[in-house]
Amino acid sequence: MNVKALKINNKIATTLCFSFFIFSIIAYMYFLSLSVVHVVMRKEATQQIGQMRSDIAFLETSYIEAKHQISAKVASLEGFSQNSAKVFISREEKSLVLRSETE
C-alpha cells in the first residue's frame, strides 16, 4: 500500500506542477499583452498632448491678435494717435550714470 500511496502522491505533485506551469504561461502572456497595451496607450496620450498644446498655442495667438485689434480700436476712439518713433532700451552695459547739477 505504501507504493500505491507514493504513486498517488507523485501523480498529484506532477499535476500540480504542470498546472502551475500552464498558469505561469497564461499569466506571462496576459501581463505581456497588458504592458504592450499600456505602451500603445501612452504613445497615443503623448500624441494627444502634443496636439492639444498645438491647439492651445493657436488659440493663444488668436486671442492676442484679437486683444491687440480691440486695443487699437479703443485707442482710436479715445483720440490717441499712433507713435511711429519707438524707443528701445537695452541693458547690455551695467553702468550707472549720474546727472550733474548743471544739466
Side-chain angles (χ1 to χ4, degrees):
M1 250 215 267
N2 196 8
V3 175
K4 202 177 213 185
L6 189 59
K7 283 184 180 181
I8 291 173
N9 286 342
N10 284 344
K11 200 177 226 185
I12 291 172
T14 305
T15 305
L16 285 175
C17 288
F18 186 71
S19 299
F20 181 72
F21 179 70
I22 297 297
F23 175 76
S24 298
I25 290 174
I26 291 171
Y28 174 76
M29 291 171 53
Y30 171 75
F31 288 118
L32 183 66
S33 67
L34 191 66
S35 66
V36 169
V37 167
H38 282 285
V39 167
V40 170
M41 287 174 56
R42 182 172 180 194
K43 283 186 178 183
E44 288 177 359
T46 304
Q47 289 175 352
Q48 287 178 351
I49 288 171
Q51 182 62 37
M52 285 184 171
R53 285 184 179 167
S54 175
D55 293 342
I56 289 171
F58 177 73
L59 291 172
E60 285 176 345
T61 304
S62 301
Y63 171 73
I64 291 171
E65 288 176 359
K67 186 176 175 183
H68 286 300
Q69 289 176 355
I70 291 172
S71 296
K73 289 178 183 176
V74 169
S76 65
L77 291 175
E78 296 291 328
F80 293 106
S81 61
Q82 187 174 6
N83 186 6
S84 60
K86 296 178 181 172
V87 177
F88 295 94
I89 298 173
S90 175
R91 289 185 156 199
E92 292 176 7
E93 294 183 29
K94 295 183 178 182
S95 63
L96 180 64
V97 178
L98 298 175
R99 190 172 71 163
S100 65
E101 295 289 328
T102 59
E103 292 181 4

